[in-house]
Amino acid sequence: MDEIVCANTAFRYWRCPPQVHDLYPRLPSSDDGWRALSQAPFVTDVLKTPIIAVASPGCCNHHSGLRSTIRWEGASDTGTTTDTHLGFSVTNPLNTLFTMTRFVSQIDLVLAMYELCGWFSVFEPTPAVEMQLKIALKENRNSSTQDLFELGEGEDEIPWKQVYARTTVKVPANEGQTNNREDGREVTKLKGTSLWMRKPLIELSDLHRFAEKVKSQMWGKQFYDAAQQVIGIAASPLEVAGVLLLSRSRRLGGSGFRYVYLNDLTPLSEEAQSIAGQKVCYGDIVIVNPILMKAAIIEIQGEVIHGSGAVLDQDAERMTALQSMGFDVFLVTHDMLNDKKQLDAIVKSVCSRLGIRYKAKSEAMKRAETRLRANVLCNWLELGNYPATRR
């Protein structure tokens, strides 16, 4: 394919784990026609159609069910694109986000920024690919949280790792005796989710520098405004939802907390170190009152584990260690964020602990919160769909 893949299509490429890329053959040449290109396995499974690409110089824009092209002057700049082993070029992660600006809402652009700047990606492999990944997983049966982002023998870069969830399934009484309940009818198994852990594709400082650079360009102001809402590095979609519901202005549906930090590094006291077994801890979302020098920590709870049994964090020890240092720690789940009464109760409690005056929301603010909640507690697999299916 001769055109440079960009925008939403490039976003789907960057969401796809490298080990999944390696399972697919190269795309056919554009000379074979767009119909053949659209039927290539990597296109049907990952990129999807219409493919969004940069229009060649001097050519007219195309808009069809197979492809859509845009005019973008930055395509010729050095370093804006990357050649893939699949036979096409794609915009780098920063320019992928920038070219997405014209296709998605601002809140979806913010979510996409959080993902590419974060420690996670959302991607659902096909059943056939999932089976091949399971075979590879057996070689990593004893992986632990500590080596989640460490290089293995013979590896040049840290691999992406799929997140697994515990599921309970019913089996006949004479099967699956291991880990069964007493009635012999249920067994706990691990199921791969669409959440993957990896190193950030974009440094947060680079995002803000880039936003300042393109601010005066077409679509630049929209990009800049979205980037200002990305205040930290998240490790999951649920953390992103939590930080937006807590830090966004009340007018835009948030709780209006001003001093909010994502995955903030907290050095532990000697006593806390003996509890946690480590010298530092990360608080998922830390809310601070700098005047009284008080902080509350929001721990986002998700029912996921990594590898074949390594728990992502020793949450109980970490929470106890932080509490021993005087921090107020709140355990928050998806359901709590999704319930306006429960979230309001958490906000009230945080305000009380930090000495911040609580203010009830107006009806307009409550409606804005409902819209924000619907947008951030969404199906992340649909993020960046084109034509847009989310608003």
Side-chain angles (χ1 to χ4, degrees):
M1 182 166 60
D2 299 328
E3 283 103 336
I4 299 168
V5 170
C6 65
N8 305 40
T9 307
F11 180 65
R12 284 192 283 274
Y13 171 83
W14 289 114
R15 290 183 122 183
C16 181
Q19 57 263 51
V20 174
H21 293 170
D22 296 339
L23 298 175
Y24 285 91
R26 286 172 61 91
L27 268 63
S29 168
S30 297
D31 294 338
D32 296 328
W34 277 90
R35 180 70 60 184
L37 189 64
S38 68
Q39 295 172 352
F42 192 70
V43 174
T44 58
D45 292 352
V46 179
L47 297 184
K48 309 297 182 183
T49 54
I51 294 174
I52 305 177
V54 179
S56 302
C59 294
C60 297
N61 276 343
H62 293 272
H63 298 286
S64 70
L66 299 182
R67 65 167 168 162
S68 181
T69 59
I70 65 170
R71 296 191 179 279
W72 177 46
E73 296 179 357
S76 59
D77 295 345
T78 304
T80 59
T81 63
T82 298
D83 293 330
T84 73
H85 77 280
L86 290 165
F88 65 93
S89 296
V90 62
T91 47
N92 64 27
L94 271 172
N95 284 288
T96 292
L97 291 173
F98 184 55
T99 50
M100 281 179 73
T101 307
R102 66 190 74 190
F103 293 106
V104 298
S105 65
Q106 188 190 71
I107 188 61
D108 277 8
L109 183 60
V110 171
L111 299 184
M113 288 176 171
Y114 265 113
E115 180 169 332
L116 296 192
C117 291
W119 286 88
F120 72 95
S121 186
V122 179
F123 175 80
E124 186 174 54
T126 65
V129 169
E130 181 72 38
M131 184 61 67
Q132 295 186 61
L133 294 173
K134 283 183 179 179
I135 295 173
L137 173 66
K138 293 179 180 178
E139 301 175 2
N140 273 318
R141 275 289 169 193
N142 297 318
S143 63
S144 64
T145 300
Q146 278 117 352
D147 62 24
L148 184 60
F149 297 115
E150 292 180 0
L151 287 174
E153 186 176 350
E155 292 177 339
D156 295 326
E157 58 183 39
I158 298 169
W160 294 30
K161 299 199 176 179
Q162 190 174 16
V163 175
Y164 283 75
R166 295 184 180 91
T167 59
T168 301
V169 297
K170 290 188 176 182
V171 295
N174 60 342
E175 296 183 15
Q177 296 300 315
T178 303
N179 293 329
N180 279 16
R181 294 183 177 179
E182 292 182 0
D183 60 8
R185 307 229 4 124
E186 292 184 348
V187 62
T188 298
K189 294 186 177 181
L190 299 180
K191 181 181 180 181
T193 71
S194 57
L195 183 63
W196 296 72
M197 304 302 289
R198 49 130 178 87
K199 292 185 67 176
L201 301 181
I202 301 172
E203 294 292 334
L204 188 60
S205 57
D206 290 340
L207 173 71
H208 289 136
R209 266 196 302 271
F210 183 85
E212 188 68 43
K213 175 184 174 183
V214 301
K215 187 177 179 180
S216 61
Q217 299 181 21
M218 182 178 293
W219 303 104
K221 181 61 167 58
Q222 293 92 323
F223 185 90
Y224 177 86
D225 290 343
Q228 299 314 297
Q229 298 179 52
V230 183
I231 62 173
I233 303 172
S236 72
L238 199 54
E239 284 186 11
V240 177
V243 79
L244 287 172
L245 285 166
L246 292 168
S247 69
R248 243 190 173 200
S249 73
R250 287 152 56 87
R251 181 179 60 84
L252 296 176
S255 300
F257 288 113
R258 294 181 59 191
Y259 301 96
V260 182
Y261 306 91
L262 259 173
N263 289 298
D264 192 50
L265 182 65
T266 303
L268 299 180
S269 65
E270 289 187 11
E271 179 185 357
Q273 288 180 34
S274 66
I275 297 171
Q278 55 195 61
K279 293 184 178 180
V280 296
C281 278
Y282 287 89
D284 290 344
I285 301 173
V286 181
I287 304 173
V288 177
N289 181 341
I291 297 175
L292 299 181
M293 296 297 289
K294 289 185 176 182
I297 297 176
I298 308 295
E299 285 294 303
I300 302 295
Q301 297 294 293
E303 296 298 323
V304 293
I305 60 178
H306 291 258
S308 60
V311 180
L312 178 59
D313 281 307
Q314 301 299 325
D315 287 329
E317 289 86 350
R318 187 159 57 105
M319 280 182 52
T320 304
L322 292 169
Q323 288 171 337
S324 74
M325 295 177 61
F327 289 103
D328 290 307
V329 182
F330 298 81
L331 286 178
V332 178
T333 65
H334 175 281
D335 290 345
M336 295 167 74
L337 290 175
N338 201 32
D339 187 301
K340 61 182 179 181
K341 290 183 178 179
Q342 290 192 61
L343 180 59
D344 188 55
I346 293 169
V347 171
K348 281 183 181 178
S349 185
V350 170
C351 287
S352 175
R353 302 292 180 88
L354 298 185
I356 299 173
R357 182 186 173 192
Y358 170 81
K359 294 181 181 179
K361 288 186 174 181
S362 67
E363 290 303 314
M365 291 175 179
K366 290 178 181 178
R367 289 193 294 271
E369 180 184 329
T370 299
R371 290 192 296 270
L372 177 61
R373 181 179 286 107
N375 281 318
V376 299
L377 292 174
C378 60
N379 181 357
W380 276 63
L381 288 170
E382 297 179 357
L383 187 62
N385 279 2
Y386 177 76
T389 58
R390 287 171 29 79
R391 276 296 180 267

